[in-house]
Amino acid sequence: GKPMKVLTCSELLHLHRTTFGLKSGSGSDSVFSDLNNGAVLVIEGCEILFRDGYAADNIINYLLFQIRRVTTMFIFICQGVLHSGSVLALSPIQKSLFSHFHFILKLQK
């Protein structure tokens, strides 16, 4: 198997703020350091990226940059349901991230 990294979206947001707020050069960049080696990145709690009025544009831009840069598989896990009306109401940057999803699975509890 491939190596796997699992983190929550909240952890990724915190690492992103730490890295780019303090210009430390570590943080979220270290999360992506192994990914060109074929690791799988699982991000849980991604529903906050698609919430109305939530200012996640910077982290979404950063995720889009990483998706284009690395040769790995990203798995985004959202709790709840995105209805078609919710998808239509997404901001342009949210729609851009959503358009990168190749498969969307709805798992029954």
Side-chain angles (χ1 to χ4, degrees):
K2 295 181 178 184
M4 181 181 293
K5 287 189 177 191
V6 179
L7 65 150
T8 67
C9 197
S10 296
E11 290 171 328
L12 186 61
L13 287 167
H14 176 73
L15 289 170
H16 179 72
R17 285 187 191 120
T18 302
T19 300
F20 293 99
L22 301 176
K23 305 289 184 202
S24 64
S26 59
S28 59
D29 285 337
S30 66
V31 169
F32 296 100
S33 63
D34 296 342
L35 296 183
N36 276 330
N37 296 327
V40 175
L41 179 62
V42 179
I43 305 172
E44 299 176 323
C46 291
E47 62 276 1
I48 63 175
L49 297 176
F50 299 103
R51 199 178 298 160
D52 285 341
Y54 187 77
D57 289 359
N58 287 339
I59 190 65
I60 292 174
N61 274 325
Y62 187 69
L63 283 170
L64 288 170
F65 169 75
Q66 293 297 342
I67 287 170
R68 293 177 186 124
R69 185 181 75 84
V70 298
T71 56
T72 192
M73 179 189 308
F74 288 75
I75 299 174
F76 293 87
I77 299 175
C78 297
Q79 300 293 323
V81 177
L82 281 174
H83 299 285
S84 58
S86 300
V87 173
L88 294 174
L90 294 175
S91 72
I93 191 73
Q94 290 170 322
K95 286 180 183 176
S96 182
L97 178 62
F98 195 78
S99 72
H100 280 79
F101 295 172
H102 295 283
F103 301 101
I104 299 174
L105 305 173
K106 179 180 178 184
L107 303 176
Q108 300 295 328
K109 289 185 178 182

